[in-house]
Amino acid sequence: MSRSTTAWRNWGRTELAVPAQRFVPSHVGEVAELVRGAASDGRRIRPVGAGHSFSSIAVADDLHVDLRRLSGLLSADVDHGQVTLGAGTRLAEIPALISYYGLAMPNLGDIDAQTIAGAISTGTHGTGSRFGGLSTQVAAVQLTTGTGELITVSAADHADWLDAVRVGLGALGVITAVTLQCVPEFVLAADERPEPLERVLEEFESRCDGADHFEFYWFPHTRTALTKTNTRLPFGAQRAALPPLRRFVDDTLVSNELYRILCALQSRAPATTPTINRLAEKITGNRSFTDRSDHVFTTKRTVRFREMEYALPRGQVPTVLRRLQKLIKERDWRISFPIEVRSAAADPLWLSTAHDRLTGYIAVHRYWRDRDTEPYFDATEEIMLAHDGRPHWGKMHTLTADQLRTRYPRFDDFRAVRDQLDPQRVFANPYLDRVLGR
Ligand SMILES: Cc1cc2nc3c(=O)[nH]c(=O)nc-3n(C[C@H](O)[C@H](O)[C@H](O)COP(=O)(O)OP(=O)(O)OC[C@H]3O[C@@H](n4cnc5c(N)ncnc54)[C@H](O)[C@@H]3O)c2cc1C
């Protein structure tokens, strides 16, 4: 097992940590050894994935464990459509590993740079009112508990814990392997177009119900929504992928390189924001293509930003978005980054943001170099909370255990499982102290 001490930063540059030691175990036995050692020495240990959370959830202030060597495909059960992956496997690696078996993940978020363990631990989701987040795809989790015991949690083993560990916040153990329930490979027909924002808000619920995957972006200071509607088709359906040059121009040059320059300009000269947003709205999001599901679900994001996302009862989305529109206007803020709106099916996972309710998501972003972003995030959070919002665990929010308890009916059941799996709080960090209590 290699070890080192170096500073760690998350992708959004909101967090910086200097752990006492960083470990990169190369087999499951080393993880158990590490956890037992930490427990007997009264140390704290934090499993860390790709560092793509904006909140301080992954901050390791004592021992940092990086699971990158426990990655790749461990086994495939083709009859049941299940695959078991090492915890450190990046989402981007999974399609190539499982397409050999004719399988795909049923839904994905915007990007694929996260590790599978990190993504499920914060309740990472994509969009689609008939589809749950990535954690709902999890059939089994292998983890080392706070006492150093290696267990598997599935419908057959420790079934009572399954709905806790599938969104576990890194509080219940170090995950070493994840079994996913996959679906046969499929393609997506993508339709991306600008539409009047007000009409999209009026039709929001029926658009979500009428499509497999519907989402939209709204650039503040404009009246247009960039909608994305993806339709699932059998794998053999005829494809019309974007030509490589068009994909490079749209997804690399315009969405990242040009956008980076525009964001930097707006950050230095905020008065240019409305004009630039109107330009951004015109040069992006007007295309149709059909391609492999993972190619359509995910894109590359190289312009750094900071993000807050709240899950709302889906019917509240139009009202909340209109309130945000009014807020930005009244405060005369210049907001360069778009607001993203998605949806998900209700699920039974105890700390899933879509627990027990059909959900709409609204995410607000700021360019990472923008100054004085707090008033925007604070005022947004106030509106979200007034509409029964639940914060994404991996994105910026200020909620504490007492506030979260009222938003999650199974909150204390989760804490009881934590008492069993991590009685000494080996996996605690300041974020978990805040959101779960000690
Ligand atoms: C550009 C960008 C786009 C994003 N898009 C989306 C999106 O579309 N939808 C969405 O919902 N979210 C999105 N996110 C948020 C992101 O998916 C989550 O924050 C996710 O948790 C990050 O995964 P990670 O591997 O980086 O984990 P980290 O951020 O490193 O860790 C997250 C949590 O997982 C725990 N963890 C990591 N590995 C293990 C392990 N082996 N065992 C136990 N616990 C572990 C950590 O302790 C921590 O609690 C995005 C983030 C960025 C930066």
Side-chain angles (χ1 to χ4, degrees):
M1 168 165 36
S2 69
R3 56 181 72 190
S4 64
T5 50
T6 40
W8 172 92
R9 275 167 173 249
N10 65 342
W11 183 91
R13 300 294 186 259
T14 47
E15 301 297 329
L16 169 69
V18 186
Q21 274 183 304
R22 177 168 167 267
F23 295 91
V24 190
S26 41
H27 58 82
V28 173
E30 287 180 351
V31 176
E33 216 176 281
L34 257 175
V35 174
R36 278 196 288 270
S40 74
D41 297 346
R43 308 282 300 261
R44 291 191 302 177
I45 191 165
R46 198 81 193 125
V48 179
H52 273 57
S53 294
F54 301 92
S55 67
S56 54
I57 190 167
V59 165
D61 47 6
D62 191 4
L63 309 178
H64 169 135
V65 192
D66 180 333
L67 280 291
R68 71 180 59 203
R69 290 200 185 138
L70 299 188
S71 78
L73 183 69
L74 303 177
S75 63
D77 174 351
V78 182
D79 290 342
H80 295 101
Q82 293 187 350
V83 295
T84 300
L85 300 151
T89 311
R90 300 283 182 130
L91 299 182
E93 296 166 339
I94 299 177
L97 294 170
I98 67 178
S99 74
Y100 176 79
Y101 301 99
L103 298 172
M105 290 175 72
N107 200 1
L108 285 165
D110 283 344
I111 60 153
D112 55 11
Q114 308 95 317
T115 61
I116 184 65
I120 65 166
S121 296
T122 61
T124 295
H125 63 90
T127 193
S129 287
R130 292 190 290 276
F131 297 87
L134 272 60
S135 299
T136 65
Q137 303 170 23
V138 173
V141 173
Q142 182 195 62
L143 81 165
T144 298
T145 70
T147 56
E149 193 190 347
L150 181 67
I151 60 168
T152 296
V153 179
S154 67
D157 300 296
H158 304 295
D160 291 352
W161 294 339
L162 189 56
D163 287 344
V165 303
R166 290 199 280 174
V167 182
L169 315 188
L172 305 178
V174 180
I175 298 171
T176 41
V178 176
T179 301
L180 294 177
Q181 179 63 56
C182 300
V183 295
E185 281 182 287
F186 59 103
V187 300
L188 286 170
D191 181 24
E192 303 178 359
R193 59 173 69 181
E195 297 184 59
L197 174 67
E198 203 37 52
R199 193 180 77 205
V200 173
L201 290 180
E202 275 160 24
E203 296 172 352
F204 178 67
E205 294 225 72
S206 61
R207 297 288 289 270
C208 289
D209 287 334
D212 289 324
H213 306 276
F214 176 72
E215 68 180 288
F216 72 88
Y217 289 89
W218 171 59
F219 278 93
H221 319 293
T222 74
R223 291 174 184 203
T224 309
L226 297 178
T227 61
K228 288 188 173 194
T229 308
N230 293 335
T231 305
R232 298 165 85 94
L233 298 171
F235 198 57
Q238 190 165 11
R239 300 187 198 183
L242 288 174
L245 182 63
R246 171 85 197 266
R247 196 174 164 107
F248 174 73
V249 170
D250 284 3
D251 297 347
T252 305
L253 284 186
V254 176
S255 300
N256 286 301
E257 299 311 322
L258 174 61
Y259 195 53
R260 185 192 324 282
I261 295 167
L262 295 179
C263 287
L265 179 65
Q266 294 177 82
S267 192
R268 286 197 199 110
T272 60
T273 301
T275 312
I276 291 180
N277 280 8
R278 284 193 284 274
L279 173 70
E281 157 214 291
K282 284 200 171 57
I283 57 178
T284 51
N286 203 351
R287 59 190 191 170
S288 297
F289 57 99
T290 305
D291 205 346
R292 264 173 51 171
S293 56
D294 54 299
H295 283 185
V296 177
F297 281 135
T298 64
T299 47
K300 294 273 169 278
R301 294 281 159 83
T302 62
V303 182
R304 285 185 209 282
F305 56 83
R306 291 167 178 175
E307 181 174 348
M308 167 181 281
E309 181 173 50
Y310 265 77
L312 302 155
R314 196 184 71 178
Q316 297 287 317
V317 163
T319 309
V320 171
L321 200 97
R322 288 189 187 103
R323 284 194 67 182
L324 288 173
Q325 224 181 347
K326 192 160 168 263
L327 173 79
I328 293 169
K329 202 168 174 198
E330 278 172 5
R331 305 279 179 98
D332 203 23
W333 284 329
R334 299 285 179 264
I335 310 294
S336 60
F337 256 80
I339 292 180
E340 184 180 15
V341 180
R342 296 181 278 183
S343 74
D347 71 51
L349 315 186
W350 296 354
L351 294 190
S352 164
T353 49
H355 177 81
D356 241 0
R357 72 183 191 196
L358 180 60
T359 291
Y361 291 97
I362 298 188
V364 299
H365 312 75
R366 295 298 300 262
Y367 180 54
W368 72 299
R369 288 190 191 279
D370 278 356
R371 299 213 182 121
D372 304 324
T373 55
E374 261 177 37
Y376 180 53
F377 287 124
D378 289 349
T380 297
E381 186 164 59
E382 211 179 300
I383 294 173
M384 301 294 189
L385 294 179
H387 291 267
D388 211 5
R390 295 171 177 160
H392 188 303
W393 300 102
K395 301 186 183 178
M396 295 160 68
H397 73 94
T398 66
L399 267 53
T400 61
D402 286 341
Q403 291 166 296
L404 289 158
R405 176 177 287 109
T406 62
R407 285 159 204 275
Y408 285 95
R410 305 300 298 268
F411 189 79
D412 283 319
D413 294 328
F414 184 91
R415 281 169 40 104
V417 173
R418 187 186 190 206
D419 288 343
Q420 284 178 277
L421 296 184
D422 185 17
Q424 279 180 250
R425 302 293 188 256
V426 177
F427 303 119
N429 71 356
Y431 178 90
L432 292 187
D433 290 348
R434 168 162 73 86
V435 302
L436 295 176
R438 288 172 199 264

